[in-house]
Amino acid sequence: MSTPSPGYAITLRAEAPAAPDSTARLTSAVSGAGGALTALDVVERGTDRILVDLTCDAVDEKHTEVISDAVEALDGVTVHETGDRTFLMHLGGKLEITPRIELRDRDDLSRAYTPGVARVCQAIADDPDEARRLTVKRNTVAVVTDGSAVLGLGNLGAAAALPVMEGKAALFKRFAGVDAWPVCLDTQDTDEIVRTVELLAPMYGGVNLEDISAPRCFEIERRLREKLDIPVFHDDQHGTAIVVLAALANALRVVGRKLADVRIVVCGVGAAGSAIIRLLAAEGAGSIVACDRTGIVHRGRTDLDEARRRIADTTNAENLSGTLGQAVRGADVFIGVSGPNVLTAADVAAMADGAIVFALANPDPEIDPVEAQRHAAVVATGRSDFPNQINNVLAFPGFFRGLLDAGAHEITDAMLIAAARAIADRVAPEELGAGFIVPSVFDPTVAPAVADAVRAGSGTGA
């Protein structure tokens, strides 16, 4: 998986001789080192020297050093500085608070703050439901984490999780106009997390749990849903499940199969895998077999925790046992939410004709997509540099937009399924194909369609 990515974009400021071939030499050095040049800007030009900014994508941090060294190795060239464009984007954070009103004079101040605001406070004290109408609550979501499962990096803690939560909040705003705010808690005690969110809940219209490790995330979500009168959504579970169901519905259309008739293997039974299994079953999946690091999850295993025991009791009707390789033999669908390189090309070749492979581990999937494409009819990943990216951005912004607009108090399977169907339907029949089973995250019709489906599913008619 050595494809340059914008996630490792750098800008090199290089000084070179003012010769006719200087820019060509710089460009060749970047490409020769495996970088993907995206921009070349001449910053200054003198009689004998030029200053050039070279912007390119790299594979990883070590590769950025290789590219820089290759440029500096050119005769007469000096690299003065290297800017990491990802870190530059994060300087000072990615969020700010912008008032929706102008405070131009004393009259505005008297209404927005004291003495006028006291009347609004009293109105909410008399009728707490007025908070939705008269405060930010109607459009605000808490993005809550304890930093215990940050991306694929593991337990990094609350502070290190903040850049991810900022990014999540920015996506909420960009795609659905929802004002989300990071709530990074410096505790990984389940009781403390539940109580803290409960105390913060009055100012929010919804809670999005993020990057909390399994199995604690299941209990935290369950308890918060019981305690709060606002919807609680764990994106690692339900956002992933929505988009997987949408993508699978369209992939099955491509190969001419029905969900009830195919055998599905889900590799990974953490937060995402558990939710995928549950939603597929709710939508009528006929046969699901789950696998973890040990192999097939079945009722005879003695090493199962409570979450895996529930999966064993509700899947694998034939009570199969064995390895992942044995599980996928003859299967129609593989859905991976586990780790890199656990599936081989031989495994995919042993699947049924017209196989569907969703290798969603990120950044390195369960199998190289190029290898999988040699044997499977449809392949999807979690990466943006391959076709069919399974990206939660397709789901959570519009989902919360619908919840907030409806003033919903809870989330149901009917809402999740309605959202998945709305996403799938954004791919028109004439567009549908093996390389296009989900819409682009930048398709402006997706979030409104998901929001409409959730509002309809809420039963409020809002």
Side-chain angles (χ1 to χ4, degrees):
M1 300 298 297
S2 56
T3 305
S5 165
Y8 294 98
I10 57 171
T11 297
L12 302 173
R13 176 155 289 186
E15 185 178 353
D21 65 343
S22 282
T23 56
R25 291 170 60 221
L26 293 169
T27 300
S28 296
V30 171
S31 61
L37 189 72
T38 57
L40 185 152
D41 299 296
V42 178
V43 180
E44 293 180 9
R45 181 180 292 275
T47 56
D48 59 344
R49 306 288 290 175
I50 59 172
L51 197 62
V52 178
D53 280 348
L54 297 160
T55 301
C56 63
D57 296 342
V59 173
D60 52 30
E61 290 185 11
K62 289 184 178 180
H63 189 212
T64 65
E65 298 173 5
V66 172
I67 295 170
S68 179
D69 291 344
V71 172
E72 186 138 41
L74 296 173
D75 289 343
V77 173
T78 300
V79 175
H80 289 294
E81 58 184 289
T82 301
D84 187 312
R85 292 172 63 82
T86 296
F87 276 83
L88 291 172
M89 176 180 279
H90 285 77
L91 284 178
K94 302 188 288 292
L95 303 176
E96 65 179 7
I97 294 176
T98 303
R100 296 179 62 246
I101 60 169
E102 292 186 17
L103 299 175
R104 297 162 295 188
D105 50 37
R106 285 180 178 271
D107 287 351
D108 288 344
L109 191 60
S110 295
R111 287 188 288 269
Y113 200 53
T114 185
V117 72
R119 295 170 54 224
V120 180
C121 294
Q122 189 60 56
I124 295 171
D126 294 340
D127 181 3
D129 286 344
E130 283 290 270
R132 286 185 183 270
R133 189 172 71 90
L134 297 172
T135 74
V136 297
K137 183 182 181 78
R138 69 182 296 174
N139 196 52
T140 305
V141 169
V143 184
V144 177
T145 189
D146 64 358
S148 59
V150 180
L151 300 177
L153 303 174
N155 189 351
L156 300 186
L162 182 54
V164 180
M165 304 310 119
E166 286 186 6
K168 198 82 173 190
L171 294 172
F172 268 111
K173 189 68 172 180
R174 164 65 176 80
F175 291 104
V178 172
D179 295 317
W181 194 254
V183 179
C184 299
L185 303 179
D186 193 16
T187 178
Q188 294 182 1
D189 180 271
T190 296
D191 292 337
E192 286 190 333
I193 292 170
V194 170
R195 182 56 180 155
T196 302
V197 176
E198 186 181 8
L199 293 173
L200 293 170
M203 76 156 290
Y204 294 102
V207 174
N208 182 87
L209 301 175
E210 192 78 20
D211 289 358
I212 299 174
S213 62
R216 295 163 47 256
C217 60
F218 305 128
E219 181 181 356
I220 290 168
E221 180 195 32
R222 177 185 59 78
R223 290 171 59 181
L224 286 174
R225 285 188 171 186
E226 291 173 353
K227 288 175 176 290
L228 303 183
D229 66 346
I230 57 176
V232 178
F233 182 87
H234 186 200
D235 188 47
D236 297 330
Q237 291 185 67
H238 309 302
T240 305
I242 289 169
V243 184
V244 166
L245 177 56
L248 182 57
N250 278 343
L252 290 170
R253 288 174 185 144
V254 170
V255 299
R257 306 293 298 278
K258 294 185 180 300
L259 185 63
D261 300 331
V262 296
R263 184 156 72 86
I264 302 168
V265 174
V266 178
C267 180
V269 292
S274 299
I276 289 168
I277 290 168
R278 185 171 179 273
L279 197 61
L280 290 177
E283 182 66 337
S287 174
I288 303 173
V289 175
C291 293
D292 60 10
R293 290 184 178 88
T294 302
I296 296 174
V297 177
H298 61 89
R299 291 180 290 283
R301 279 178 50 177
T302 59
D303 61 338
L304 301 179
D305 57 23
E306 183 179 351
R308 284 172 169 79
R309 174 60 58 191
R310 284 195 298 269
I311 290 172
D313 289 340
T314 55
T315 64
N316 191 7
E318 298 177 7
N319 205 29
L320 302 173
S321 61
T323 65
L324 172 63
Q326 291 171 314
V328 299
R329 195 171 301 151
D332 303 284
V333 179
F334 170 86
I335 300 172
V337 280
S338 53
N341 305 316
V342 298
L343 193 70
T344 68
D347 291 332
V348 180
M351 293 177 68
D353 292 340
I356 296 167
V357 172
F358 289 1
L360 306 183
N362 217 348
D364 297 318
E366 285 79 2
I367 183 173
D368 186 323
V370 176
E371 287 292 315
Q373 286 168 354
R374 292 176 181 164
H375 305 286
V378 181
V379 176
T381 73
R383 293 174 58 114
S384 60
D385 50 355
F386 286 94
N388 299 328
Q389 184 190 21
I390 308 301
N391 193 325
N392 289 18
V393 178
L394 289 165
F396 70 81
F399 198 90
F400 268 96
R401 177 77 278 152
L403 291 173
L404 294 170
D405 291 348
H409 298 287
E410 61 181 2
I411 295 169
T412 65
D413 285 348
M415 290 179 181
L416 302 175
I417 291 170
R421 291 175 179 172
I423 293 168
D425 289 346
R426 289 301 90 199
V427 179
E430 62 272 17
E431 298 175 308
L432 184 63
F436 191 65
I437 58 172
V438 287
S440 165
V441 296
F442 293 103
D443 182 338
T445 70
V446 173
V450 172
D452 287 345
V454 172
R455 279 194 296 269
S458 72
T460 65

